[in-house]
Amino acid sequence: MDRNPSPPSSDAEEEAAVAGDSIGNTVYSKHWLFSVLTKLIEIISPKEGDSESNNVDIQVDLDEDMENDICKVWDMSMDKDVALFLEEFNAPDIFMGVFAKSKCPRLTEICVGILGNMACCQNICMSISKDENLGQLILQRLRDSDPPTLLETSRLLLTCLSHPEVANIWVERIRGSPSVYDCVCFIMSSSTNVELLVKVGEVVDKLFDLDEELMLNWIKNGSRKAVEQPTDDSPKELPDFEIVPCLLEAAKQVCSDNNTEGLDVYMHILQLLTTVDEGIQAIVHTKDDGKETWNLLYDLFCNDLCQPDDPPIIVQEQKTVLASILSVLSAIYTSQMEKEYIKMGKNMPLIGSLIRVLQYMEECGKRSTDSSKESKSEESEEDFHLKILKDICCELLSNIFQELSKENILEGLKQGHLNEQKCSCAFQNLLPLYFSSVESFLEVLREADQSLADTLEKRFPSLKLQT
């Protein structure tokens, strides 16, 4: 549902035309906008005779006309001229008053949304980010129990973090606000709002990508003091959170909704965790020794992504999420080989899926060579991402090849995960870098199927020469 009415198309435009008070190059009226902001100030200002303390529970519901007007401002604020005019009118200070005093979720959501639009303008984003009081009030909105407000708050944070000039300000602010960790984990572990989960995931992904120290802090942050919820209908305390179970819960939720964008985001966060030893330990030292993470990613890779009935070009579309998933699977595999859930007897489809990715990449490579109409820069970027995927795929496959038993290979041949064509594709991609793995696999293959081993040796003479 579209929550916002269309921008003003009658009153505000007519006033601008009649009075000649248009905002910048727009048709929006300064006078109309002044009147809306003035009414907003009145909503959050104590009435005469009321003390500040008696007026804290200001207006839980918005008047319909006021809601329509402030929604029009929300839509208008996407225009740079309007955003600059709002800043000139000190709108951020007005919104600070709303955050501090209003108990109306819809009003808070709209004001955060307007700030989010304004922050798309670099100069305004700089001004918002440098205001410490406003920055803290924005972070406090993450404690809100209203999903639309949380969504707009996350969008605002992501916008600010995406501006290189101010990103570090927010990283430092979040690092100095321990409750952000608890609030984000609470959302990821309990929300069923997929749109919110995707946006919160994007914020976490951006934070981890920007600052390894913050990521390490959050990895180690498993038993932090719980934060209080500000609303009466929310639990007074949050449980102690660990980052990996919360990420998995959010990932499962976005998967159940078939949200490919969200899946990409959460798989990349898990991949970022594997770039540091503490992150790998956080994944494998959960209560189930990493089994839940393995099972989720294994199921996605073997049963959902890059399937036999997909066209080879699918590997191009899914290259980033495939690379993320395989990075995490590879990290778990190499650190948990002794665990029962890792044993290849239970995971033979993984071999077939890995080889299928390599086969599809070969097919895509042939097609791009036959007809390349894209620019060289686009081609090189695609080649770069595919190369990353190929490297990760080959590394995991080589590790698996070294661990296969005769029984594993016989089962793989029986189930169709291994055959002459697939082994040839694997060898073609693994050699010469992973020669020892291929040699180890071939030695066991001779026991399982001497004829196939001989055929492969003839096709790859370098193996025969060195055996």
Side-chain angles (χ1 to χ4, degrees):
M1 186 182 75
D2 185 6
R3 296 183 61 86
N4 304 335
S6 298
S9 57
S10 54
D11 294 346
E13 292 180 8
E14 287 173 12
E15 286 187 35
V18 173
D21 68 338
S22 59
I23 300 171
N25 294 321
T26 74
V27 294
Y28 304 132
S29 163
K30 293 180 182 178
H31 177 75
W32 180 86
L33 190 53
F34 272 134
S35 68
V36 176
L37 291 175
T38 300
K39 284 188 281 185
L40 182 57
I41 293 172
E42 290 172 356
I43 288 176
I44 61 171
S45 297
K47 294 180 177 59
E48 191 175 343
D50 285 346
S51 67
E52 187 76 23
S53 60
N54 290 334
N55 205 51
V56 288
D57 291 329
I58 299 170
Q59 205 170 334
V60 175
D61 295 312
L62 268 181
D63 172 83
E64 184 178 349
D65 291 338
M66 182 59 189
E67 180 174 351
N68 286 336
D69 284 346
I70 196 69
C71 277
K72 290 173 183 177
V73 176
W74 189 358
D75 283 328
M76 289 164 57
S77 64
M78 295 174 67
D79 187 286
K80 184 178 179 180
D81 286 336
V82 175
L84 290 169
F85 183 77
L86 285 168
E87 185 191 29
E88 184 182 335
F89 193 75
N90 295 323
D93 289 342
I94 299 173
F95 300 150
M96 282 178 65
V98 172
F99 301 155
K101 299 178 181 179
S102 174
K103 298 298 180 182
C104 174
R106 179 64 171 149
L107 180 58
T108 303
E109 173 206 354
I110 295 168
C111 290
V112 178
I114 295 172
L115 269 181
N117 285 348
M118 293 174 65
C120 293
C121 178
Q122 182 176 324
N123 291 338
I124 298 177
C125 186
M126 180 75 75
S127 175
I128 291 172
S129 301
K130 287 185 175 180
D131 188 327
E132 186 60 29
N133 291 331
L134 179 57
Q136 290 300 329
L137 283 172
I138 290 169
L139 293 185
Q140 286 176 21
R141 298 276 58 78
L142 290 172
R143 299 186 180 196
D144 214 298
S145 61
D146 180 53
T149 299
L150 290 170
L151 176 61
E152 292 307 318
T153 303
S154 302
R155 186 174 73 89
L156 170 57
L157 288 173
L158 185 62
T159 300
C160 293
L161 288 167
S162 299
H163 283 282
E165 300 82 3
V166 301
N168 194 54
I169 295 174
W170 285 98
V171 169
E172 291 295 330
R173 184 173 287 141
I174 291 169
R175 196 189 293 163
S177 303
S179 65
V180 172
Y181 170 85
D182 298 276
C183 295
V184 167
C185 285
F186 180 73
I187 294 168
M188 292 193 298
S189 63
S190 63
S191 179
T192 57
N193 185 319
V194 171
E195 188 179 7
L196 172 58
L197 288 172
V198 173
K199 195 58 64 177
V200 167
E202 289 176 335
V203 172
V204 174
D205 189 38
K206 192 68 176 177
L207 283 170
F208 285 6
D209 203 31
L210 285 169
D211 193 74
E212 185 177 295
E213 183 182 342
L214 185 141
M215 180 173 72
L216 288 168
N217 288 342
W218 282 24
I219 290 170
K220 300 170 184 176
N221 220 1
S223 55
R224 174 174 288 284
K225 182 181 178 182
V227 296
E228 292 186 0
Q229 293 286 66
T231 53
D232 294 333
D233 57 348
S234 299
K236 289 297 181 184
E237 290 188 344
L238 298 178
D240 293 336
F241 291 113
E242 293 180 5
I243 189 70
V244 172
C246 295
L247 289 170
L248 292 179
E249 197 60 42
K252 286 187 282 187
Q253 190 67 43
V254 299
C255 286
S256 68
D257 196 63
N258 295 316
N259 189 296
T260 54
E261 181 187 6
L263 176 62
D264 212 337
V265 168
Y266 280 97
M267 293 304 103
H268 189 251
I269 297 172
L270 288 171
Q271 181 186 8
L272 287 174
L273 293 185
T274 65
T275 61
V276 294
D277 185 61
E278 292 87 346
I280 297 173
Q281 297 309 311
I283 291 172
V284 301
H285 286 168
T286 50
K287 293 178 182 178
D288 61 0
D289 295 322
K291 184 178 179 180
E292 184 180 4
T293 306
W294 175 272
N295 287 345
L296 175 64
L297 274 60
Y298 175 92
D299 186 56
L300 284 168
F301 180 58
C302 294
N303 299 318
D304 289 339
L305 300 171
C306 199
Q307 293 300 292
D309 56 350
D310 288 326
I313 194 67
I314 195 72
V315 78
Q316 187 69 260
E317 298 172 17
Q318 298 176 349
K319 57 184 179 286
T320 55
V321 69
L322 285 170
S324 295
I325 288 174
L326 292 179
S327 292
V328 181
L329 287 176
S330 184
I332 297 175
Y333 184 81
T334 54
S335 61
Q336 296 290 84
M337 282 184 177
E338 76 285 355
K339 298 298 180 183
E340 190 62 30
Y341 72 86
I342 293 290
K343 301 299 183 185
M344 267 302 114
K346 298 182 177 181
N347 296 288
M348 288 306 296
L350 180 58
I351 296 175
S353 296
L354 288 167
I355 295 175
R356 187 186 311 122
V357 170
L358 295 173
Q359 289 175 319
Y360 282 6
M361 280 195 285
E362 285 184 356
E363 186 65 31
C364 286
K366 291 176 186 175
R367 292 185 182 184
S368 63
T369 302
D370 294 341
S371 58
S372 67
K373 297 180 180 179
E374 297 171 287
S375 68
K376 288 185 179 180
S377 61
E378 287 175 332
E379 283 183 352
S380 62
E381 184 177 347
E382 286 185 358
D383 289 346
F384 173 73
H385 288 293
L386 284 176
K387 185 180 184 307
I388 291 174
L389 175 57
K390 178 183 175 181
D391 290 346
I392 297 168
C393 195
C394 287
E395 181 182 4
L396 178 54
L397 187 59
S398 71
N399 286 329
I400 292 173
F401 268 16
Q402 292 187 85
E403 301 299 320
L404 291 177
S405 65
K406 175 184 175 182
E407 291 71 25
N408 293 152
I409 291 178
L410 285 170
E411 188 65 24
L413 291 168
K414 179 181 177 182
Q415 295 175 1
H417 302 306
L418 292 171
N419 56 34
E420 182 182 337
Q421 183 186 22
K422 291 180 179 180
C423 288
S424 294
C425 176
F427 285 17
Q428 186 71 40
N429 285 276
L430 293 176
L431 294 171
L433 184 60
Y434 296 104
F435 181 87
S436 61
S437 296
V438 174
E439 190 178 42
S440 173
F441 170 80
L442 193 60
E443 186 177 336
V444 182
L445 179 62
R446 285 194 194 96
E447 300 176 24
D449 190 329
Q450 181 68 50
S451 176
L452 178 55
D454 291 343
T455 301
L456 291 170
E457 279 189 332
K458 290 176 184 177
R459 186 168 294 183
F460 297 91
S462 62
L463 290 171
K464 194 170 184 179
L465 288 173
Q466 300 187 43
T467 53

